[in-house]
Amino acid sequence: MNKKSVEELKTIAKDLRRKIVTMVYEAGSGHPGGSLSAADFVTACYFYEMNVDPKNPTWEDRDRFVLSKGHAAPAQYAALGTLGFFPEETLHTLRQEGSILQGHPNMTCPGIDIPTGSLGQGIACAVGMAIALKADKKSARVFAVLGDGECQEGEVWESAQTAAKYKLDNLIAFVDNNGLQLDGSVEEIMPVGSLADKFKVFGWEVFEIDGNNMEEILKTFDSIKNSTTQKPKCIVGHTVKGKGVSFMENVVGWHGVAPKKDQFEQALKDLA
């Protein structure tokens, strides 16, 4: 796949955001806030960094993508549909009975490597995939996206220990650190402190960036490629929940609510 320029990637990210808002609006349910905050990293993965083939979704040597914060599925579906893993009109069937695009990723959808949704389990699966790829002497990598609220789960840290022990330098985790979760701020629900420091202590190589800045994301990918450590990599991306939609940005109420018609129209104007 030909790598896109920074400006092309920014345009794609905006397009994915429009698709996210449209999918959730048409479904009448879903999770727009965390899908929008993760859109830049998802774009960079699928349209710049990852080695995947829409015509051969189960290609043995592909890079894997694990959406550990599975409720942000609209972001991944938008990327997969745009790339041609399935007909793009399928995006209009989000959460419908019988659709391959369920509320959380499911392997009935081409391009989904593991079902996710129960927070903490996705990163554990990603660690298992990375171990298996190492055992098979494959050069493929595993990319995982976690939420900062998800990092309240103990399983995340068991996985982090395991990844460090087995020197999984083929594992890249992105923490979508937008500061908000379902019922409030991460700080008021269960403070997680400095996630960058935590992953460092657990033995990971850590990069702390603006997770909505495409240039910083690509620069970090380059740094990871040039790294000589055998440590798993963690990108702590400081992001804005609801990024790109004026009335959704940094508003906890948009974690899992679909916009009404007038709100949808305003969102599309914001993302024009």
Side-chain angles (χ1 to χ4, degrees):
M1 182 174 64
N2 293 327
K3 291 189 175 183
K4 307 292 186 183
S5 69
V6 170
E7 290 308 313
E8 287 175 321
L9 291 169
K10 289 179 179 179
T11 298
I12 292 169
K14 186 175 284 190
D15 178 58
L16 295 194
R17 287 189 164 97
R18 286 193 292 268
K19 289 172 179 171
I20 288 166
V21 171
T22 300
M23 293 164 69
V24 174
Y25 167 69
E26 291 177 345
S29 66
H31 297 80
S35 299
L36 293 168
S37 62
D40 298 295
F41 184 76
V42 171
T43 298
C45 282
Y46 277 107
F47 296 88
Y48 182 86
E49 186 65 19
M50 285 173 49
N51 194 16
V52 294
D53 183 359
K55 296 180 181 178
N56 187 10
T58 59
W59 175 38
E60 192 173 289
D61 292 319
R62 73 192 182 281
D63 288 331
R64 274 67 169 174
F65 186 94
V66 178
L67 188 65
S68 197
K69 48 173 278 180
H71 54 277
Q76 187 176 16
Y77 293 154
L80 293 173
T82 301
L83 280 171
F85 277 85
F86 50 79
E88 200 165 340
E89 56 266 26
T90 305
L91 294 174
H92 298 286
T93 69
L94 178 69
R95 290 178 169 246
Q96 292 180 17
E97 184 176 357
S99 172
I100 62 171
L101 307 183
Q102 289 303 302
H104 293 77
N106 188 294
M107 290 178 70
T108 56
C109 175
I112 300 296
D113 291 308
I114 194 76
T116 58
S118 184
L119 297 178
Q121 291 186 3
I123 185 60
C125 292
V127 168
M129 289 176 180
I131 290 172
L133 288 169
K134 286 274 189 184
D136 290 341
K137 295 180 169 51
K138 297 286 187 183
S139 61
R141 301 161 295 170
V142 182
F143 294 76
V145 176
L146 299 92
D148 47 358
E150 180 179 8
C151 291
Q152 296 159 349
E153 299 281 352
E155 188 172 0
V156 169
W157 303 107
E158 293 179 78
S159 302
Q161 290 178 110
T162 304
K165 175 182 177 179
Y166 291 103
K167 301 178 180 178
L168 301 182
D169 55 356
N170 58 342
L171 174 61
I172 301 167
F174 176 83
V175 181
D176 185 17
N177 192 22
N178 60 41
L180 300 175
Q181 57 188 103
L182 175 62
D183 295 321
S185 71
V186 173
E187 184 64 26
E188 75 176 291
I189 301 298
M190 184 58 66
V192 293
S194 170
L195 291 171
D197 288 345
K198 280 186 167 64
F199 274 96
K200 284 177 187 174
V201 169
F202 273 84
W204 290 53
E205 185 173 0
V206 177
F207 305 83
E208 195 164 9
I209 68 170
D210 177 348
N212 292 135
N213 184 304
M214 191 63 70
E215 287 90 348
E216 286 194 36
I217 296 169
L218 301 190
K219 183 179 178 181
T220 304
F221 281 147
D222 289 340
S223 296
I224 288 172
K225 283 196 285 281
N226 293 327
S227 174
T228 58
T229 74
Q230 291 185 297
K231 296 179 178 181
K233 319 300 180 191
C234 177
I235 303 170
V236 177
H238 296 281
T239 61
V240 174
K241 194 149 192 171
K243 177 68 175 178
V245 179
S246 58
F247 59 88
M248 290 187 185
E249 288 192 352
N250 283 319
V251 178
V252 69
W254 287 104
H255 176 87
V257 177
K260 304 296 184 185
K261 187 175 186 295
D262 58 333
Q263 294 169 322
F264 169 62
E265 291 171 352
Q266 179 59 51
L268 291 186
K269 287 179 182 178
D270 291 345
L271 295 167

